[in-house]
Amino acid sequence: MSSSNRTGPSPLTFTLTGIPGLPMSSCWMALPLCCLYLLMLLGNCTLLWMIKTDHSLHTPMYYCLFMLAMADLGLSLSTMPTMLAIFWFEATSLRFEACIVQMYFIHSFSAMESGVLVAMAFDRFVAICYPLRYGSVLTSSLLTKVGGVIFMRGVCVVLPVAVLIKKMPFCSSQVLSHSFCLHQDMLRLVCGDVRVSSLYGLTAVIFTKGLDSLIILLSYMMIIRAILNIVSQEARAKVFSTCISHLTAILVFYIPLLGLSIIHRFGEHLPPLTHTLLADAYLLVSPVLNPLVYSWKTKQIRRQILTLLCWRWTQQRV
């Protein structure tokens, strides 16, 4: 197969794929997707607004939650244009440069979210294992530096991936497997040697999600050990309940990510629908569920939401 010429009159474009088995323009998919994105925007923007305006929420745990909501917003907004364009307008073509930009933002915000989950695990570790030192260890200055490191790591670690793939020659077939651009999906369409790009992509994943998941695992091993040392069973349950929201966020982020990584490398024989559903779950479920879980499980946020709803109802009555 011949390599496409990006400098010629016909610019290189990729063809995005909807959900296998469904018509491209389908209200059955477009309406639920719009509802999911609206729910994600409403949930995360509400969290950001409450944490910013309510001074009682200006604590390390809620600063970490603020960063998580920002990462969730970035991750969802990176996929929203192409997904809605496909199911509303059957717009499946995407220019090569736009595809690289989308791929860069998806992987960058994904790395940032992984880093925020590590920061939240450290917050729970200090709160449970060293409660008397919580305020002195997790200062505003430290959290600002941690946020900066998380942001810069997400920005810098993915940049070589975009630079490397921009120089690759692509074959005549440019049909991607998803409704958005992912590095591994683009890499399989390259006609040249992909070893350097593939190796760096794998190294970047190990350095971000692999290292992060190991740190989170070690943190929770020490947290569980500290909880088991508590004599009262009621106190154990109360302490462990403070970790439920964070554990849920970890599971809804890492389980689809792990599944997607495995099937991209070893699941060529699996039906395309499996790839699509895992990729969509990885990029859509976490940003939608996180605000709901934290609003439901966190007393302060739940109280603020109820107060806001009561105030709105009172204003309408007046």
Side-chain angles (χ1 to χ4, degrees):
M1 287 189 290
S2 62
S3 174
S4 298
N5 184 8
R6 279 178 232 145
T7 61
S10 299
L12 178 63
T13 60
F14 288 109
T15 302
L16 302 175
T17 304
I19 295 180
L22 286 179
M24 193 62 69
S25 180
S26 170
C27 289
W28 296 107
M29 277 306 303
L31 287 175
L33 269 178
C34 282
C35 292
L36 280 177
Y37 279 116
L38 286 173
L39 187 60
M40 178 277 302
L41 288 169
L42 178 64
N44 286 291
C45 288
T46 301
L47 278 181
L48 292 173
W49 178 78
M50 284 193 302
I51 294 170
K52 183 180 179 181
T53 57
D54 187 350
H55 291 282
S56 68
L57 301 181
H58 291 183
T59 62
M61 185 179 81
Y62 295 106
Y63 286 142
C64 291
L65 183 55
F66 188 92
M67 290 190 287
L68 183 67
M70 291 288 290
D72 279 337
L73 275 173
L75 195 58
S76 292
L77 293 175
S78 299
T79 63
M80 184 171 67
T82 53
M83 290 197 73
L84 293 183
I86 286 173
F87 291 105
W88 276 118
F89 308 110
E90 299 185 53
T92 59
S93 295
L94 190 66
R95 289 280 296 270
F96 175 73
E97 292 77 10
C99 196
I100 287 183
V101 170
Q102 185 183 49
M103 178 206 72
Y104 174 78
F105 280 113
I106 288 174
H107 290 294
S108 290
F109 281 113
S110 177
M112 290 178 203
E113 178 150 353
S114 181
V116 173
L117 291 174
V118 173
M120 298 177 87
F122 182 69
D123 169 80
R124 292 298 84 208
F125 165 72
V126 177
I128 293 171
C129 298
Y130 302 98
L132 298 179
R133 299 175 58 186
Y134 183 74
S136 61
V137 172
L138 291 174
T139 61
S140 298
S141 174
L142 177 64
L143 287 172
T144 302
K145 293 174 183 175
V146 167
V149 169
I150 291 170
F151 176 77
M152 289 306 299
R153 188 188 71 162
V155 168
C156 295
V157 79
V158 185
L159 190 58
V161 172
V163 172
L164 285 170
I165 205 164
K166 193 175 189 305
K167 299 177 180 179
M168 296 284 182
F170 284 85
C171 303
S172 57
S173 172
Q174 289 119 26
V175 181
L176 296 172
S177 306
H178 305 294
S179 306
F180 36 79
C181 301
L182 296 176
H183 177 245
Q184 292 166 329
D185 200 20
M186 294 176 69
L187 210 58
R188 68 180 180 82
L189 302 179
V190 173
C191 283
D193 187 357
V194 299
R195 284 178 295 180
V196 174
S197 186
S198 181
L199 181 61
Y200 180 81
L202 181 60
T203 304
V205 170
I206 293 172
F207 178 66
T208 53
K209 281 96 171 195
L211 183 60
D212 292 348
S213 58
L214 181 61
I215 294 171
I216 292 171
L217 179 61
L218 292 174
S219 298
Y220 270 95
M221 287 173 62
M222 290 183 280
I223 287 171
I224 291 170
R225 187 177 67 177
I227 291 174
L228 292 176
N229 288 332
I230 299 173
V231 177
S232 168
Q233 191 166 353
E234 184 179 348
R236 285 183 192 174
K238 186 176 180 180
V239 171
F240 185 73
S241 68
T242 64
C243 301
I244 295 295
S245 300
H246 181 239
L247 284 171
T248 305
I250 291 170
L251 293 175
V252 298
F253 179 77
Y254 278 106
I255 288 177
L257 170 63
L258 181 62
L260 186 63
S261 299
I262 290 172
I263 66 170
H264 262 302
R265 286 178 170 82
F266 309 109
E268 293 86 356
H269 61 284
L270 293 175
L273 183 60
T274 307
H275 294 249
T276 302
L277 291 179
L278 269 177
D280 291 348
Y282 163 51
L283 294 173
L284 291 178
V285 172
S286 180
V288 172
L289 280 186
N290 284 340
L292 298 177
V293 170
Y294 274 96
S295 300
W296 174 54
K297 291 296 296 180
T298 308
K299 186 188 300 183
Q300 292 92 326
I301 293 177
R302 192 167 63 242
R303 186 173 61 242
Q304 290 296 325
I305 291 175
L306 290 174
T307 302
L308 179 62
L309 291 175
C310 290
W311 180 81
R312 292 287 297 176
W313 182 76
T314 305
Q315 291 295 107
Q316 288 176 355
R317 289 292 298 271
V318 172

